[in-house]
Amino acid sequence: MYDELLQSAILAAKTAGKMIKDASRNKISLDIETKAKNDFVTNVDKASEACIKKILIERHPDYAVMAEESSSGKTIPPDRYWVIDPLDGTTNYIHGFPPYCVSIGLCEGIVPILGVIYDPTRDELFHAAKGQGAYLNGKPIKVSGCENLSDGLIATGFLFRDMDVMEQCLNCFKEVLQKCQGVRRPGAAAIDLAYVACGRLDGFWEQGLYPWDASAGSVIVMEAGGTVTNFHGGETYLFDRTIVATNSKIHFELQSIVQRFMPATFFQ
Ligand code: IPD
Ligand code: CA
Ligand code: CA
C-alpha cells in the first residue's frame, strides 16, 4: 500500500545522505549561517533539502511539503504532506561529530504514517509505514523488552534556544538520571527515536522539537512496538513540541516524570 511512497522516500534519503557524507569527507568549505542562538544552517542542509524536494515533488507532485529550511512548521496542510529534516544534527555535522541523518516523514493531519531515517555515518536506513512494521537495513526491528526505568538507557536533547526553561530542564534531567541506568545526548532527535525503535535505547524525551525532527521517528517507534506521546500523555506530540518515546513498558514511568517539569501549554 505504501510501497511506492516508501521507495521515493528511501531514494531521497539515501541520495541526500550520500551527498552529506561526501561533503563532509571532502571537507568542502562549510558555509555556516546562524538562524538563532546556537541554531545553525549550512549550505549542506540547504543542498540536501533541495535534493530531497526535487525527488519527492517529481515523483508525487500532488503532495504538499513541510521542510525545515523553508517552512514554519506551524501550519498543518489539509492533505497528505511530506515532512523533511534535510540534516538532523547540524551542530554535530559542523563539528564532525556523529551521528547525523536525513529524516523524511509522510503525515496525514497530525498523524505520521510513513517514516525514513538514513544515517550516512553508519550506513543505517530505518523505515516504517503504518501497519507494516519497522525495519533497519531491511531487517525487522522491535523495541527493547526493558520492564523498568531503573534498567533503562534513556536519551534526551537539551533546549538551546528557550533558555528561560533551563532550570526545569536540568531538574527533569537530574530526576531521570537518578532513576535510570544512564542518559545520553547524541545530538540528532531522529536518531534518538530510531534507536528507541531498534532497542538500543529504552526511552527518549525532548522539548522544543518541530514536526521534521519527530515525524519519521515516531512512526518507526510505534511500528516497532513502542509508544509516543507528548509530555502529558496525549497524541498531539508532533505539533506541541514535547515528546516522550519509549518501548511502551516504561512509558508511564518516564512520561509521569517529565510532565511535572513542563507546563502543557509552554510552546503554544
Ligand atoms: C536538532 C537535533 C537535536 C535536537 C534539536 C534539533 P537540527 O535538529 O535534532 O538533537 O536537540 O532540538 O533542533 O537543527 O540539527 O536539524
Ligand atoms: Ca532536526
Ligand atoms: Ca535540520
Side-chain angles (χ1 to χ4, degrees), residues 68 85 87 90:
E68 179 176 11
D85 191 333
L87 173 45
T90 295

Side-chain angles (χ1 to χ4, degrees), residues 39 68 85 87-90 157 160-161 185 187-189 206 209 213:
D39 190 5
E68 179 176 11
D85 191 333
L87 173 45
D88 186 41
T90 295
F160 47 83
R161 288 176 286 248
R185 198 297 186 227
E206 187 162 351
L209 294 183
D213 299 304

Side-chain angles (χ1 to χ4, degrees), residues 41-53:
V41 59
T42 72
N43 47 333
V44 176
D45 298 61
K46 289 179 186 171
S48 172
E49 183 163 307
C51 161
I52 295 166
K53 276 166 104 173

Side-chain angles (χ1 to χ4, degrees), residues 91-259:
T91 302
N92 281 2
Y93 186 70
I94 291 170
H95 291 267
F97 183 98
Y100 42 80
C101 65
V102 173
S103 173
I104 302 175
L106 183 69
C107 293
E108 278 174 355
I110 59 163
V111 181
I113 55 173
L114 177 157
V116 171
I117 293 171
Y118 180 57
D119 172 358
T121 69
R122 294 170 59 104
D123 194 23
E124 287 192 328
L125 181 98
F126 297 84
H127 84 262
K130 211 170 170 187
Q132 296 183 5
Y135 301 83
L136 165 52
N137 289 346
K139 297 201 174 110
I141 49 172
K142 61 180 179 135
V143 292
S144 76
C146 176
E147 299 273 354
N148 301 300
L149 183 58
S150 56
D151 297 319
L153 182 64
I154 309 298
T156 189
F158 300 122
L159 277 173
F160 47 83
R161 288 176 286 248
D162 306 278
M163 294 297 176
D164 41 350
V165 284
M166 177 71 85
E167 193 73 20
Q168 288 104 299
C169 289
L170 292 177
N171 288 337
C172 183
F173 179 76
K174 193 168 154 191
E175 183 152 340
V176 178
L177 189 59
Q178 285 168 331
K179 292 197 168 147
C180 69
Q181 280 190 356
V183 180
R184 301 288 181 264
R185 198 297 186 227
I191 296 277
D192 296 333
L193 288 162
Y195 283 12
V196 172
C198 69
R200 291 176 190 160
L201 291 167
D202 305 293
F204 164 68
W205 89 96
E206 187 162 351
Q207 56 287 301
L209 294 183
Y210 284 90
W212 42 77
D213 299 304
S215 56
S218 308
V219 65
I220 296 171
V221 169
M222 290 185 286
E223 285 299 315
T227 298
V228 183
T229 67
N230 64 16
F231 278 12
H232 293 261
E235 290 175 359
T236 49
Y237 53 87
L238 268 196
F239 288 86
D240 326 324
R241 309 188 59 208
T242 70
I243 191 166
V244 191
T246 67
N247 68 348
S248 295
K249 294 184 173 176
I250 64 161
H251 199 83
F252 180 71
E253 261 189 294
L254 182 60
Q255 183 251 313
S256 50
I257 295 174
V258 300
Q259 76 172 352

